[in-house]
Amino acid sequence: MDDDGTTDDASRAEYELLERLRAEHVGEVPDAVAADAELLARFRALRDQFQHLQMLYRFGIAEVSTKIDILRQEFESVYDYSPIEHVRTRLKSPESLVSKALRQGTALDVPAIRAEIRDIAGIRITCSFVSDVYWIAEMLSTQADLRFLTTKDYIARPKPNGYRSLHLIVEVPVFLSRVVEHVPVELQIRTIAMDFWASMEHKLHYKYRTEIPDHIAAEIDDAARVAADLDARMGRLRDEVRPLPRHGPDDAPPGVPPRATAPTPPG
């Protein structure tokens, strides 16, 4: 078994998928051997479709990542400040995709999965300041070929456990040889303090699996408050050094966000 549990995850996903297919086709093929052969053929076909889907979403990540990298390079070259500190990407494996589809009852076909699972492709952007989070989202929202589908502002309205981040689903065109595919990509934009807290909280949940002990849960809650306070303090210090514009975006010196509101998706 691999240290990260990849082999176990893949085996479990394959078993769950075969069991789902078997349950959906009970009695359709009276010959047990023929039934198993048909299930195996369907399993392999679905696996190939998921691998193709994964390739498509990898292209979506590449398209959006290029846009983010252009913004970062522009600020690093032209100005003395860049709002983008770190960028990480994540693509669900076929096994993870199958497991999520099974958990939430999504039909095991590509159209249903594309319609119902929107976090197949993900990009996480880490910033220094809360205002930078909204600034980056605003800059991306002005790009004509990016369509904003959903906005979930967990900074303005944190989750009950203290989690804070700005979540966006954007749709980007991917130009293939014969067709243009519109691929949704999830963006998580957060500060360094938010990212550190989320990473710690995730590791604790992974360690305890079920219920976190009360004293550790209390520490997590307190750490969330400390992280939020740190963001507020750092923002105030930054404002002392770089005053915010008084009249609008044109008054902003390089490196100062012109506004601090999350873009609203159309509709």
Side-chain angles (χ1 to χ4, degrees):
M1 186 190 76
D2 295 337
D3 289 340
D4 61 358
T6 302
T7 302
D8 279 354
D9 290 343
S11 299
R12 184 166 55 253
E14 290 178 358
Y15 173 78
E16 291 174 349
L17 177 55
L18 284 170
E19 287 298 304
R20 169 76 170 269
L21 294 176
R22 185 174 288 114
E24 290 178 352
H25 296 275
V26 170
E28 291 186 8
V29 182
D31 186 328
V33 175
D36 284 345
E38 180 179 328
L39 284 175
L40 185 58
R42 282 203 64 202
F43 171 79
R44 288 172 174 168
L46 282 171
R47 185 177 58 189
D48 291 343
Q49 291 174 26
F50 290 155
Q51 289 174 344
H52 176 78
L53 187 65
Q54 189 184 39
M55 177 191 71
L56 181 62
Y57 279 76
R58 186 182 301 114
F59 295 157
I61 288 176
E63 291 283 355
V64 180
S65 293
T66 297
K67 293 175 176 296
I68 296 167
D69 191 51
I70 287 172
L71 290 174
R72 176 164 60 178
Q73 289 193 48
E74 178 197 3
F75 277 94
E76 289 176 350
S77 299
V78 178
Y79 306 121
D80 61 350
Y81 172 75
S82 173
I84 300 170
E85 294 285 349
H86 306 289
V87 179
R88 295 183 62 185
T89 64
R90 186 260 316 142
L91 181 66
K92 281 189 181 298
S93 67
E95 295 79 22
S96 178
L97 191 54
V98 168
S99 294
K100 182 161 187 175
L102 292 171
R103 285 197 309 272
Q104 64 184 39
T106 300
L108 292 175
D109 60 69
V110 169
I113 286 174
R114 290 191 65 174
E116 298 180 28
I117 301 179
R118 292 301 185 96
D119 63 344
I120 298 174
I123 299 176
R124 181 176 301 157
I125 305 172
T126 308
C127 314
S128 293
F129 305 104
V130 173
S131 56
D132 290 345
V133 171
Y134 296 110
W135 189 24
I136 292 167
E138 177 67 19
M139 285 188 285
L140 291 173
S141 72
T142 63
Q143 301 201 13
D145 57 344
L146 274 186
R147 188 162 77 98
F148 276 58
L149 302 179
T150 64
T151 298
K152 294 182 179 179
D153 191 345
Y154 297 117
I155 300 174
R157 294 173 295 279
K159 289 186 177 183
N161 67 346
Y163 175 85
R164 296 184 304 139
S165 183
L166 179 65
H167 287 201
L168 310 169
I169 303 292
V170 301
E171 189 177 73
V172 63
V174 172
F175 294 85
L176 302 177
S177 58
R178 297 185 178 181
V179 67
V180 178
E181 294 279 2
H182 295 274
V183 179
V185 177
E186 182 187 54
L187 294 177
Q188 296 179 359
I189 314 177
R190 59 180 65 158
T191 66
I192 295 171
M194 295 175 196
D195 191 56
F196 179 70
W197 182 91
S199 176
M200 175 196 67
E201 196 265 354
H202 176 76
K203 289 175 181 176
L204 288 172
H205 273 284
Y206 185 82
K207 173 181 174 62
Y208 289 100
R209 296 285 184 173
T210 54
E211 186 172 346
I212 295 180
D214 290 342
H215 70 285
I216 295 181
E219 289 285 353
I220 293 175
D221 289 342
D222 186 60
R225 288 189 291 271
V226 170
D229 181 62
L230 176 61
D231 276 335
R233 290 186 179 190
M234 295 303 292
R236 289 193 296 270
L237 287 172
R238 195 281 311 274
D239 293 345
E240 288 288 332
V241 177
R242 290 180 185 271
L244 289 172
R246 294 184 177 183
H247 303 293
D250 293 338
D251 298 323
V256 176
R259 56 186 293 184
T261 56
T264 302

